[in-house]
Structures are given as C-alpha cells and as structure tokens.
Amino acid sequence: MSDRRNFIKATAAGALGLATLPSIESIAATTAPPAPTKHELPPLPYAYDALEPHIDAQTMQLHHDKHHAAYVAGLNKAEEELAKARASGDYALIQHWSKQAAFHGGGHYLHSMFWTVMAPAGKGGGGEPTGALMDLIVQSFGSFDAFKKQLSAAAAAVEGSGWGLVHYRPSNRSFIILQAENQHKLTSWGGTPVLGIDVWEHAYYLKYQNKRADYIAAWWNVVNWAEVARRVENAG
Ligand code: MN3
C-alpha cells in the first residue's frame, strides 16, 4: 500500500474514531459497480395503436422506432467520442460532443419516461390521480385543475420544440412545472422529472397538424398516474 493510501486510511479512521477501516482494495473488490453498457432503446410498454384515438399508431411507431432510436444512437456516439477524447487527450471537440451528449441524453431520458407515463384511456390512462400523489399535487398547485391548466399552458407556450415537464423535488417534497426547449434547455437541477408531455411537432403533427393545444387536451386522456406515483416514490 502506498504512503498516500496509508495516510488516507489513517486519517479517515482517526476522524471516525475507528481503529481500523477495510482496505481500499477490499472495498473496490466488493462494491465496484458493473461497467456501463451502451444505452438501448426500451420497448414500448403497449402496442403502437394502444393510445388511439388520442395518439395515433403511425405517430407512435415513428416517434418510438425512429426518433427515440436516433437519440439512443446519438447518445452512444457522443459517449464513444468522449471516451476517444479521454484516451487521446485531444479535447478539441469537447464542446460539440458535450452538447450532443446533453441533447441526445435528454431525449433518451425523457422519451423513456414519456412512454411509461402514458397508458390506454380507461385502462390505466386518464382520469385523476388519487392518494398521496393527489395530495402532493394539491399542496403544490392548490388544486388538480390549477395543475392541469398550468402544465397545459406551459406545454402550449414552449418556444419551438420541447417539453412541458413536472419535476419532483425531494428536498421539500414539492412539484414544479417547467418547460424544456429541445430536450434539455431551461431545466433546473435538484429535481427529478416525473411527468412530461412531448410537444415536438413529431409527437402530434400527423393527427393534429398545427393544433398543439388539441393534442395537449387529448393527451390528458392517456396519463398513467400510477406510474407517476411510482416515480415520485422512487425520487424521494
Ligand atoms: Mn419526441
């Protein structure tokens, strides 16, 4: 063991009032996480046409199989290029690949959530939340109706392509509604998105054309509140 490691071990043991600590080698051997793998496109949790008539099958197929798949590929590519940069020490394109990682990583994360926070209308989708989730919504926004109006307004007013997002903040057990431009801009840290509506044109244009508000109104019929509640629980 190096002098430096002995020093760290002795200092940590002293600070904790412990006579001995497990060696760094034994901690590494027992707690090292598995190496990261490539990101993969998660399967849709229902059929392409399951959200009809609110969201059409063709949109779902293109959105999942083409758009989301492209974000997964883009994120893997960005991470490969960042690994190459680390290996070579050449960071000339660090700004480009960092932006790519944020854009595609945001897309992959948000779409992975988006599919699961929807369910067929009347079969897990739509209606109103119950229990602790409803209580938290009322505490954060005053009423479910006020929450619904604010999320609809935020989504409708996203400049260009983006999302209306509900973040849960474990620090004070509250929700905040935010917009995201593209997949990642205008967000804030310290919260976890637990519900989001994609308002990129590809999410609704085939069926709703320029009528984003009509798509947003229809989307409420397929919100999977049980999944939102599960995400809030895991975030806390
Ligand atoms: Mn999308």
Side-chain angles (χ1 to χ4, degrees):
M1 191 179 284
S2 72
D3 288 349
R4 179 171 162 71
R5 281 186 176 182
N6 274 325
F7 172 77
I8 292 168
K9 193 175 163 186
T11 306
L16 294 168
L18 300 172
T20 57
L21 283 177
S23 73
I24 289 169
E25 289 79 5
S26 72
I27 292 171
T30 54
T31 63
T37 54
K38 284 202 177 296
H39 303 281
E40 290 179 5
L41 180 66
L44 269 187
Y46 34 67
Y48 296 124
D49 64 357
L51 306 182
E52 293 268 13
H54 305 291
I55 300 180
D56 61 285
Q58 189 184 8
T59 294
M60 288 299 291
Q61 186 165 7
L62 288 167
H63 199 176
H64 177 269
D65 295 3
K66 303 297 181 190
H67 292 275
H68 188 175
Y71 298 133
V72 173
L75 177 58
N76 283 326
K77 170 74 174 169
E79 292 190 356
E80 280 166 29
E81 293 298 328
L82 290 167
K84 280 187 203 166
R86 288 193 295 276
S88 68
D90 178 1
Y91 288 104
L93 295 177
I94 187 67
Q95 187 186 57
H96 173 74
W97 291 116
S98 300
K99 280 186 180 178
Q100 290 286 297
F103 175 78
H104 291 288
H108 177 38
Y109 180 89
L110 289 176
H111 286 88
S112 297
M113 175 180 73
F114 188 55
W115 313 131
T116 67
V117 298
M118 298 187 289
K123 297 176 189 165
E128 295 187 2
T130 56
L133 177 57
M134 184 59 123
D135 292 344
L136 266 179
I137 287 174
V138 171
Q139 283 165 17
S140 295
F141 301 100
S143 68
F144 179 72
D145 192 49
F147 160 75
K148 196 170 165 178
K149 280 184 181 153
Q150 187 178 334
L151 179 55
S152 296
V158 170
E159 190 172 36
S161 299
W163 296 73
L165 293 173
V166 181
H167 284 244
Y168 174 65
R169 296 173 295 186
S171 58
N172 69 342
R173 287 182 51 74
S174 70
F175 291 115
I176 185 171
I177 290 170
L178 298 173
Q179 298 174 317
E181 291 178 2
N182 297 147
Q183 325 277 15
H184 57 306
K185 298 176 190 169
L186 302 182
T187 190
S188 82
W189 313 123
T192 301
V194 293
L195 174 65
I197 173 170
D198 188 342
V199 291
W200 282 58
E201 288 182 345
H202 66 230
Y204 62 90
Y205 214 83
L206 287 177
K207 183 177 175 73
Y208 294 96
Q209 291 85 50
N210 59 320
K211 294 176 291 234
R212 183 188 283 184
D214 289 358
Y215 156 71
I216 294 166
W219 175 80
W220 288 101
N221 291 299
V222 296
V223 174
N224 180 350
W225 294 108
E227 173 63 15
V228 176
R230 190 192 67 75
R231 286 176 176 272
V232 170
E233 242 170 63
N234 287 353

